[in-house]
Amino acid sequence: MRAWSTRQLHAKAEKSKRIGFVPTMGFLHSGHLALVTRAKKENDAVVVSIFVNPTQFGPTEDFNAYPRNLKKDLALLKKEKVDAVFVPSATAMYPDGVKSTINAGPESKPLEGQFRKGHFDGVCTVVVKLFDAVRPTTAYFGQKDFQQTRVVEEMVARRKMPVKIVVCPTVREADGLAKSSRNVYLSPVERAIAPVLHQTLLLVKKDLLAGEPVGKVEATAFGVLALTGFNVQYFSVCDAKTLKPLRSFKASKGKRVVVAVAAYLGKTRLIDNSLFSL
Ligand code: PAF
């Protein structure tokens, strides 16, 4: 992978190419393909990686069950005419097992960090390895994993990595459910309930913009989701930069906020968020 990228970056006859990179764990859907489309628009060559990264899954999480379909993914990417697909093995990525991991920064600690210990250390570790191999000019991530985008942005800034991070809007089903590879786990009944997550985020945005107190809005949303059948892990109005909880609407006027939620529907864990300025 690195040899291929080096050839693109140091092409003698022509000007050096801009490499757009879309890192994925495969089982591609239109959310991933929107990242590819954006990358194609802004670069000379596009690389997509497919690697289900073991180090970002906890011991009781769904690493083994995580949906995989490499044949279908490769067919989709061929249709998109991407320039290279990087599908490393676990031993290529972790030749010495996992001896050292990167510590994700403070943005990794709240929200997901409370429930998925070590998750973002695993994400940062694999992203650094993927960037080392692909040497992208720009890397594209989806806003659905908003905390991941903040953690990666800060890691890249702290390490002064020469990569631009672009965050693209969440792609949704017609009924508002955010596209996710994990949506295949939902039973038909759960699938019918799932859009309530997005609907609740929209209502919360409306209430916050109307000046409702943050605590009250969060508690109501928590209650609505619980009554609908969700097992909510967190529903939190946060500063979109630090991801620290916002307590007062007045003190936060003009701030960019993210309302982030993680909830189980049956055995499926869903996350979503809404990003706006107060
Ligand atoms: O968002 C994902 O699919 C993964 O966390 C990533 C960025 C590919 C790292 O494994």
Side-chain angles (χ1 to χ4, degrees), residues 23-26 32 49 51-53 56 66 119 122-123 126-127 130 141 145 148 152:
T24 82
M25 298 207 297
H32 297 111
S49 66
F51 179 63
V52 184
N53 172 36
Q56 68 190 74
Y66 194 83
H119 167 66
V123 169
V126 82
V127 165
L130 291 168
F141 293 83
D145 297 297
Q148 169 171 277
V152 170

Side-chain angles (χ1 to χ4, degrees), residues 175-242:
D175 58 11
L177 175 65
K179 297 257 186 182
S180 163
S181 304
R182 288 188 169 101
N183 290 351
V184 289
Y185 298 152
L186 295 168
S187 71
V189 173
E190 290 161 355
R191 177 62 190 80
I193 297 170
V196 175
L197 207 59
H198 176 56
Q199 288 155 13
T200 308
L201 285 168
L202 293 179
L203 285 176
V204 161
K205 176 178 173 184
K206 195 166 137 269
D207 288 348
L208 287 172
L209 290 173
E212 293 281 331
V214 174
K216 184 178 155 215
V217 170
E218 283 175 342
T220 308
F222 216 98
V224 167
L225 290 173
L227 277 175
T228 319
F230 289 89
N231 180 3
V232 184
Q233 285 194 318
Y234 61 79
F235 191 104
S236 190
V237 181
C238 305
D239 180 311
K241 188 168 161 44
T242 62

